[in-house]
Amino acid sequence: MKELFEIYDGSAEAKKAKGKSKNLSGFHPLFTASARRSIALDGLKIWLLLGFVVGVVTGVATGAGAVSVFLGLLIAAVIYFGFRDDVYKKVYGPEHDRGQLPLPEGMSWEEAVDRIRRGFANPDVEQVTDTADAMTFYSKKRGTYQLKNTADGLKMTILTKPSKSSKKEYLYAVFSSVLLSQVIAILYPEKISTEQVEEEKAAVRKLFGAHKMPLVIELAITAAFVAFAAYVLYTMLYSDSARSKGISDSYLNLFPAEATVGEVLDDFFTDGKWDNYEQNGVTYVSYTGIGQNTQTGEKIEISIYFKLNNDKTFGIDRMTWNGDTMNTLEQLGVISALNDSYRESHDLASSNALDSAFDELENALDEALTDSASSEAAPESEAVSTSVTESVPYTETADAYDADDIFPAATRFDEQATSTNGMDTYSKLAGEISVEYNHYDELTEEIKEYFLSYGPYFRTAWLNAMYTDIYEDTGRYGNATALYDFVKYMSFYDEITSYYDPAPMSQAFHDVILSMEDQIYVDTATDREAAPYVDEVIQTAEANGAELQIW
């Protein structure tokens, strides 16, 4: 024999009484706000949790960051509102096991019918009839329902439904449950209060009212919700802000203060695209756009790579021009062009500190070229001018070393040559070293004497040439190639100096070579294995005043 029915109203006491009961077996569920919300959440809890986890994992995998939580909540909300009606149909329908619902002790069916007739009131029910063992409730809008007195207690069934649409079946299930609640409240007033009955009646009228709208409007609302959800998902996962990790909406002191990074870049480039990736635990964000060469008119693909720091700050890591890594001055030239373009198109006055730096650089180069052109020719062994000497990147002079220094006094002096772009200058000696270091094992005594004749200028030119090639290798070919070239540069240096130079700079680079012993083999090293050694080489070079050359 079934246990006597209980009422589930969503309260803490009801939840405790429910215990481990599956699908509220033995309980008559009310359609009050607290009850129906608790029922829906309990019926969908596994799916809601799964949807939330899938949303968070998807967001994290696509780089949405903290927004991943919102994505998880959005998916959970879609599941809740999309499948809630199925839960209502199952829990509130006549097939639900509510336990035994007998007539009150000592009350006959005729007495029960009389009490129900006198106490029942529902504006949606136009007629109530009764027989020897049943009462029938007629509603033009809601259908026909029958309360039958059986050996197992009172049972509510649905006789007819105004609509055959499967979408509305849960409505009739809920209405039948609310009718039964009214009967229980009349026969067992201590079980269900009048306030609860009225709340149920108002809620079910509102539920039916939501389905009165035409199908076209219902479809339009559904389409609008789907479009909104798609927009939110796109914004979180695929928008510029998401793919750029927020950099596109941020500001950079190299650009005009009035514009975000994304606004400056999109103002200059076409077909701009953001992306991000991780390498060795570091997050990099890239922007790739199409620009135009002002001299040739050809289209150029420019990529700017930003490095995200642990403290959420960022900076430009490198730039590429049709896939080739730019040197420092080329990068500054692009930044200057971006600034000029944005200010011109938006009528902004020049206010960026980068301009003054470029003006100083341009003035210095112009002065150097002017002085060089006006200098008188000198014999080859004494080809020196004040402008050339002052423009040598490293400020060493021949008398800056002790008598024990391996380099003799200079009989030749480094000259400046004009780069291929016709604007910049570079160390002529550094350019020669950049070519000859590949032939370190073929050096004749005459070649060695030639380089040694530059005295301490050789060390400076070698440092700048090595630093420039290693720096460019890391961007174009990778760390493994950079490390291999460094070893060849060191072999070249040792051949010139007869494997003896006590200067701290030389010893520091030799220490890098020694640290590789029994750790990696240069010929077979991977980029990852070579990375820490290349970083040490670059840092050592910069600490000793190395400067990039523009050939």
Side-chain angles (χ1 to χ4, degrees), residues 175-380:
F175 190 74
S176 71
S177 182
V178 171
L179 289 178
L180 186 56
S181 291
Q182 290 184 258
V183 171
I184 296 174
I186 294 172
L187 299 179
Y188 295 93
E190 74 279 4
K191 293 284 189 179
I192 303 177
S193 68
T194 303
E195 290 77 13
Q196 289 174 321
V197 170
E198 292 303 318
E199 183 181 349
E200 280 193 301
K201 289 161 64 176
V204 78
R205 282 197 297 270
K206 184 177 180 180
L207 195 67
F208 271 89
H211 285 265
K212 286 183 178 180
M213 64 183 67
L215 180 61
V216 174
I217 298 179
E218 187 175 341
L219 292 175
I221 293 176
T222 302
F225 177 79
V226 172
F228 174 75
Y231 171 78
V232 172
L233 288 174
Y234 173 80
T235 301
M236 291 189 299
L237 303 179
Y238 301 105
S239 66
D240 285 349
S241 180
R243 299 187 71 84
S244 70
K245 300 289 187 178
I247 289 180
S248 64
D249 297 328
S250 301
Y251 296 85
L252 192 63
N253 58 4
L254 294 175
F255 293 153
E258 299 85 353
T260 64
V261 174
E263 289 172 341
V264 172
L265 298 181
D266 289 338
D267 182 75
F268 188 87
F269 298 107
T270 59
D271 298 328
K273 294 180 178 62
W274 289 94
D275 204 353
N276 63 80
Y277 63 94
E278 285 197 10
Q279 183 176 353
N280 298 327
V282 179
T283 300
Y284 293 90
V285 174
S286 65
Y287 177 93
T288 300
I290 304 300
Q292 189 175 31
N293 190 318
T294 56
Q295 296 180 345
T296 64
E298 64 177 334
K299 291 185 177 180
I300 306 164
E301 183 181 87
I302 302 292
S303 294
I304 303 175
Y305 294 84
F306 301 88
K307 179 180 178 181
L308 282 178
N309 303 316
N310 293 330
D311 60 358
K312 304 302 181 182
T313 59
F314 66 93
I316 295 177
D317 183 68
R318 66 185 188 280
M319 298 184 191
T320 62
W321 178 298
N322 286 338
D324 294 332
T325 301
M326 302 182 203
N327 59 44
T328 303
L329 287 181
E330 289 171 334
Q331 293 182 34
L332 291 175
V334 171
I335 294 173
S336 179
L338 294 174
N339 276 281
D340 292 342
S341 174
Y342 189 86
R343 285 198 299 271
E344 289 176 5
S345 61
H346 293 79
D347 296 325
L348 298 178
S350 177
S351 60
N352 198 295
L354 187 65
D355 293 330
S356 59
F358 265 98
D359 290 341
E360 293 177 6
L361 177 61
E362 184 177 358
N363 291 337
L365 291 176
D366 289 342
E367 290 176 4
L369 290 174
T370 301
D371 292 343
S372 178
S374 61
S375 300
E376 294 183 1
E380 182 180 354

Side-chain angles (χ1 to χ4, degrees), residues 374-389:
S374 61
S375 300
E376 294 183 1
E380 182 180 354
S381 60
E382 297 179 357
V384 57
S385 68
T386 303
S387 62
V388 172
T389 304

Side-chain angles (χ1 to χ4, degrees), residues 439-510:
H439 311 292
Y440 67 90
D441 54 350
E442 301 174 1
L443 298 176
T444 64
E445 290 301 320
E446 183 179 1
I447 294 177
K448 293 179 183 180
E449 291 178 1
Y450 168 76
F451 285 116
L452 287 174
S453 68
Y454 282 94
Y457 292 109
F458 168 76
R459 181 191 282 123
T460 301
W462 175 88
L463 176 66
N464 290 332
M466 183 273 292
Y467 175 66
T468 300
D469 283 343
I470 299 305
Y471 186 86
E472 292 184 352
D473 280 349
T474 58
R476 293 187 179 185
Y477 311 112
N479 290 319
T481 299
L483 187 63
Y484 184 74
D485 280 347
F486 166 69
V487 172
K488 289 196 295 183
Y489 261 105
M490 287 303 299
S491 297
F492 174 80
Y493 188 85
D494 287 338
E495 286 291 334
I496 298 297
T497 61
S498 299
Y499 291 83
Y500 177 73
D501 181 8
M505 181 196 78
S506 175
Q507 295 303 311
F509 286 126
H510 278 96

